[in-house]
Amino acid sequence: FDLQIPGAGQGAFTSGCAAQFAGHSSGDFDCNNRYGGCDSKDGCAKLPAELREACEWRYDWFHWLNHAGKTNNPYVDFRRVRCP
């Protein structure tokens, strides 16, 4: 289960963001850290303006990597539901 958060790393899929936001390189979207993304909130400044607030959310609300790294790949409780 992955949360797709701007600035949090692109993993194996590095071409989509750069294609969508002209003038940015692939590394701008994850601080050149494909698996894990930016190490600090300052890295969010490299992102397009439309994505910065979501990147900053990781540090302001989600508290990225606090508590011995437990916010990285958080525990979730979910179940399958029938489509209406």
Side-chain angles (χ1 to χ4, degrees):
F1 188 93
D2 284 329
L3 297 175
Q4 300 298 313
I5 305 170
Q10 301 175 83
F13 306 101
T14 59
S15 60
C17 291
Q20 184 175 352
F21 295 96
H24 291 274
S25 68
S26 180
D28 291 343
F29 295 94
D30 56 18
C31 297
N32 291 308
N33 182 13
R34 289 174 54 185
Y35 299 96
C38 301
D39 291 332
S40 72
K41 186 176 175 179
D42 294 337
C44 298
K46 294 181 179 181
L47 291 167
E50 300 93 331
L51 303 178
R52 285 184 201 140
E53 187 176 356
C55 179
E56 293 169 354
W57 170 84
R58 288 194 312 148
Y59 302 96
D60 296 338
W61 186 88
F62 192 57
H63 300 289
W64 185 249
L65 296 181
N66 285 354
H67 310 293
K70 290 182 182 173
T71 57
N72 185 12
N73 295 323
Y75 297 106
V76 296
D77 185 20
F78 63 95
R79 64 186 170 90
R80 187 182 304 226
V81 297
R82 184 180 303 266
C83 290

